[in-house]
């Protein structure tokens, strides 16, 4: 089992990269977010990997972070989600955003990925909501979902207005800290919108 690769970025394609480790080129499938994070050709990179073995092939998948690899494993544990679909989801959503979507049962967010219909997106959030708690978030406290009911509703309101999950959570957390635990939903949303606009 190959857990990670340390080497130079030799080439990239639309859905893969080649990592040169001491003269051996390892082709790894990768999400768009991982490919963007790897940097320029020739740079030294570390890629976390997952080996997929089937009857007719052995493939390596590569990830910029251990969190992304862990989410890939979770996503592919859902019936109907193969490596291609999991990478499509991770190409448009960061691990923190996938966690938020699953925690909120926001199937529409998952369904934005290529090849993911509404039924599959719903199955993903249903099957992963109990498993997702064990994965630590990489984004620090700003990406955490606020605890109170009004704060949760405020985050939902900002998400509906088109804010990214991490932005919405950070703005509502900041507003919550300023207004205190008894703040109304209306006050939280107004202040969070002002903070998000800065």
């Amino acid at each position: 089992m190959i857990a990670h690769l340390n080497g130079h970025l030799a080439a990239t394609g639309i859905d893969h990269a080649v990592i040169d480790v001491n003269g051996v080129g390892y082709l790894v499938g990768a999400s768009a977010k991982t490919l963007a994070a790897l940097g320029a050709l020739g740079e030294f990179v570390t890629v976390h990997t997952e080996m997929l073995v089937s009857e007719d092939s052995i493939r390596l998948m590569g990830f910029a972070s251990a969190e992304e690899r862990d989410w890939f494993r979770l996503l592919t544990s859902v019936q109907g989600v193969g490596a291609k679909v999991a990478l499509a989801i991770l190409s448009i959503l960061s691990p923190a955003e996938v966690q938020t979507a699953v925690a909120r049962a926001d199937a529409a967010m998952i369904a934005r990925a290529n090849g993911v219909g509404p039924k599959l997106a719903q199955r993903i959030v249903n099957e992963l909501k109990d498993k997702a708690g064990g994965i630590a978030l990489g984004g620090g406290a700003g990406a955490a979902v606020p605890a109170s009911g009004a704060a949760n509703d405020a985050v939902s309101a900002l998400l509906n207005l088109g804010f990214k999950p991490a932005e919405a959570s950070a703005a509502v957390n900041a507003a919550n800290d300023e207004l205190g635990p008894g703040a109304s939903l209306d006050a939280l949303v107004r202040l969070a919108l002002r903070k998000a606009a800065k």
Side-chain angles (χ1 to χ4, degrees):
M1 188 71 155
I2 299 171
H4 69 265
L5 297 172
N6 292 322
H8 292 90
L9 182 60
T12 58
I14 194 162
D15 60 355
H16 66 274
V18 177
I19 314 298
D20 185 323
V21 181
N22 297 325
V24 178
Y26 290 88
L27 188 137
V28 295
S31 70
K33 287 191 180 292
T34 286
L35 291 171
L38 289 179
L41 293 181
E43 285 188 12
F44 189 82
V45 296
T46 297
V47 178
H48 301 269
T49 57
E50 178 75 358
M51 187 181 286
L52 304 179
V53 180
S54 65
E55 284 181 23
D56 55 354
S57 71
I58 297 175
R59 292 181 297 158
L60 270 182
M61 298 292 133
F63 307 94
S65 67
E67 290 85 13
E68 188 184 14
R69 181 195 58 207
D70 292 345
W71 271 105
F72 177 84
R73 288 174 179 164
L74 268 183
L75 288 165
T76 54
S77 73
V78 176
Q79 182 187 353
V81 179
K84 189 174 179 181
V85 168
L87 287 181
I89 292 169
L90 293 168
S91 287
I92 63 155
L93 299 174
S94 69
E97 290 169 334
V98 179
Q99 171 118 16
T100 301
V102 169
R104 296 181 182 290
D106 187 350
M109 196 171 187
I110 302 284
R112 288 172 30 207
N114 281 341
V116 181
K119 284 185 180 174
L120 182 56
Q122 193 61 55
R123 186 185 313 145
I124 289 168
V125 296
N126 289 347
E127 288 192 26
L128 296 186
K129 64 178 183 278
D130 296 329
K131 299 179 186 176
I135 292 187
L137 273 184
V145 176
S148 78
N152 278 333
D153 290 342
V155 170
S156 267
L158 265 64
L159 289 174
N160 289 336
L161 290 171
F163 287 88
K164 290 185 173 155
E167 291 170 347
S169 292
V172 171
N173 280 333
N176 211 19
D177 290 346
E178 193 170 311
L179 295 172
S184 72
L185 173 60
D186 186 52
L188 268 177
V189 171
R190 284 173 192 265
L191 185 56
L193 282 170
R194 284 206 300 275
K195 291 194 172 292
K198 285 182 182 175

